[in-house]
Amino acid sequence: MTTKLLQINDLEKDKAALEDAAALLRAGRLVAIPTETVYGLAANALSPDASKAIYAAKGRPSDNPLIVHISAYEQLEPLIRQEAPQMAALAQRFWPGPLTVVLPKSDLVPPETSGGLDTVAVRMPSHPIARALITLAGVPLAAPSANRSGSPSPTCAAHCMHDLEGRVDAVVDGGPCGVGVESTVITLCTQPPRLLRPGAVTLEMLREVLPDIEIDPGVFAPLPENAVVSSPGMKYRHYAPKARVVLVRAAAAPFAEFLKRQEKPFGALCFEEDIGMVEKPYIVYGREKDGQSQAAALFGALRQADEYAWELVYVRIAPGEGVGQAVYNRLLRASGFSEITP
Ligand code: TXA
Ligand code: MG
């Protein structure tokens, strides 16, 4: 199939492209769309065939459930079996935005969308194009990240084309994503609620509404074999370039020294502050004390490492607050939890 590239800079001026994308979604087709976190591969969440087509295009294991995206709070109720008491307060504080909530699902959500689970993950994105498309499609949209399964998530339309050209009906180009890492995922199906994937809505922010929220053990440590996983996504190697990734916890100077002692060839991922200290080749991913700048650059940097065909990458990591925790979680997964302190 040929993949249409639909440019949308302005919802009014580019109405025709927006309508093209909406018509494809209404027809049960696959369209990669921008959200504020990463690009999503969207299709009708209520159609078993549309969901199956998403798994096929991504090469995604069918037990890894999809996030269902809505554009108005009223769209939540039909998707869930019973309202969780904390949900209204969470939505009030964090929706629209980068928070996904796992809730008991209703029969309206087909098992193809929920990966066979009796729960459903729901999120209301804040990106104007995503919201407009959900509304115009007239149905909630299932949308996993629009990458081939296992690769880093796409943060611009070119990443989506690279991974999915010829496999999806259209890619909407709405420019680069602001956040750069996927949404925070929590579940309200456990008591107390649990953080399953860190993101731009941080633990500190969540505690304002859910004072007793816990971090799932799979977030910052490898799960033991045969462990019961709270989120199927945790089982899979993720966000990974083809290279072997090793995280190095060090300040700029010791990192540069460490690299000098390593056998070549390898590449480095480092911070803006390291330029001039670290020998080439390197790729910069944000500033040392600015988790948001790291989040915005991370997946593009991991994809660049693949473009350079690096086989080994040393990534400098530094203590990070807030969204820095999400960056660390993605890097742990990209490295298969391989971290050293020189
Ligand atoms: O920011 C995002 O969330 C992006 C954009 C496109 O919205 N989407 C995204 O989807 O990252 P995906 O499919 O790449 O990641 C969804 C994660 C997976 O790790 C999956 O296992 C988990 O959410 N998940 C989905 N439904 C779940 C459920 N019912 N219970 C537990 N985990 C669930
Ligand atoms: Mg993904």
Side-chain angles (χ1 to χ4, degrees), residues 271-273 284-294:
F271 301 124
E272 270 179 32
E273 290 86 342
V284 167
Y285 78 109
R287 290 174 295 280
E288 176 163 8
K289 293 196 175 69
D290 179 358
Q292 183 44 59
S293 71
Q294 295 164 22

Side-chain angles (χ1 to χ4, degrees), residues 37 40 60 64-65 67 69 119 121 123 144-145 182-183 197 230-231 233:
T37 54
R60 180 179 176 112
N64 193 3
I67 294 176
H69 295 68
T119 56
R123 142 163 147 84
S145 49
E182 307 85 345
S183 62
R197 182 175 74 181
S230 315
S231 186

